[in-house]
Amino acid sequence: ALYPIWFVILASGRVGSRLYTLNLLGMFIPTEWTFENYQVMLSGQPYPFLTWMRNSLFVAGFTTIACLLIATSAAFAFSRFRFYGREFGLILLLAIQAFPGVLSLVPVAQLLTAFKLYASHWGLILAYTIGNLVFTTWLMKGYFDTIPIEIEEAAMIDGCGPIQSFLLVGLPMAKPALAVTALLAFMGGWGEYVFASVLIPAPDVRRTLMVGMYSLANTQSIPWGYFAAGAVMTIIPVILIYTYFQKYLVGGLTLGGVKG
């Protein structure tokens, strides 16, 4: 599992466009190293790598915010309130989750065209948010179910309403699940290729990072050194976010799966 990552790191520091070396020792340790590949990718010429990364950060960031806002409120409603259509809504969400997301690509493209959001980053954010909401809503609902409702009832006795109990009691106690939801939503927008390649048929300056990296690797003479350097820098934001939320992740992934 670790060697492919180490292989890409080694390839990112090799001179020229070589993906590997015939030196057996060089397949495991860096016998040669240069930062030229990183300098070229960060310079913006001939590949607008930083523009691709900025576009992906914009899309993934707003996808994360939208998923947190909608999924947490929907999950809290499903967990705490009893209303007409609740059970049907939960079953419907599971039924939607059973179908691969790529099946919705054509209707999503048609809807975005009708709303004049096709070839727009906002349209891509909307598509990613829709795709992530089912899983994140169920994840958050499972976690809210583990929080004793008596805590919120005690807050209501002190004068809190339903919205205040959600904001002041439910959300602070659901930090582990919020961290997991944020990470999954960000990764869903950061590393996705199919929707981005279809919904953003635009020049290099509007491409997301995955589409841009694919276009770099789809040339006749693939610059493997540049591609490997870009791949290494691509995983850095995910590692930073994972490190920031690490203390919440274990609790959020496990406690949300079992009631009690």
Side-chain angles (χ1 to χ4, degrees), residues 101-119 123-131 195 198-199:
V102 71
L103 292 179
S104 64
L105 180 57
V106 173
V108 166
Q110 292 177 332
L111 287 172
L112 293 181
T113 301
F115 290 121
K116 301 187 184 302
L117 291 174
Y118 186 72
L124 188 59
I125 292 169
L126 181 60
Y128 285 163
T129 302
I130 294 171
F195 274 77
V198 174
L199 300 181

Side-chain angles (χ1 to χ4, degrees), residues 74-198:
F76 189 81
F78 278 122
S79 176
R80 292 295 188 255
F81 303 134
R82 300 296 180 264
F83 51 89
Y84 180 77
R86 174 180 177 273
E87 297 297 330
F88 175 77
L90 290 173
I91 296 174
L92 180 63
L93 289 178
L94 278 180
I96 293 174
Q97 186 68 21
F99 294 93
V102 71
L103 292 179
S104 64
L105 180 57
V106 173
V108 166
Q110 292 177 332
L111 287 172
L112 293 181
T113 301
F115 290 121
K116 301 187 184 302
L117 291 174
Y118 186 72
S120 165
H121 289 149
W122 291 109
L124 188 59
I125 292 169
L126 181 60
Y128 285 163
T129 302
I130 294 171
N132 284 307
L133 273 181
V134 175
F135 178 74
T136 53
T137 299
W138 263 99
L139 177 67
M140 290 298 303
K141 179 196 174 294
Y143 197 89
F144 280 130
D145 286 343
T146 66
I147 300 175
I149 194 172
E150 290 79 9
I151 300 177
E152 295 164 26
E153 290 175 346
M156 291 182 181
I157 293 176
D158 290 336
C160 284
I163 296 178
Q164 288 176 310
S165 67
F166 168 61
L167 295 176
L168 301 179
V169 179
L171 287 184
M173 297 187 68
K175 285 183 179 179
L178 290 173
V180 175
T181 301
L183 179 63
L184 294 178
F186 182 86
M187 292 180 64
W190 179 258
E192 201 279 331
Y193 168 77
V194 176
F195 274 77
S197 63
V198 174

Side-chain angles (χ1 to χ4, degrees), residues 194-224:
V194 176
F195 274 77
S197 63
V198 174
L199 300 181
I200 307 288
D204 281 354
V205 293
R206 296 196 57 80
R207 287 174 175 168
T208 59
L209 190 54
M210 294 300 110
V211 179
M213 290 293 291
Y214 177 80
S215 67
L216 189 152
N218 199 33
T219 57
Q220 186 174 1
S221 179
I222 302 175
W224 287 116

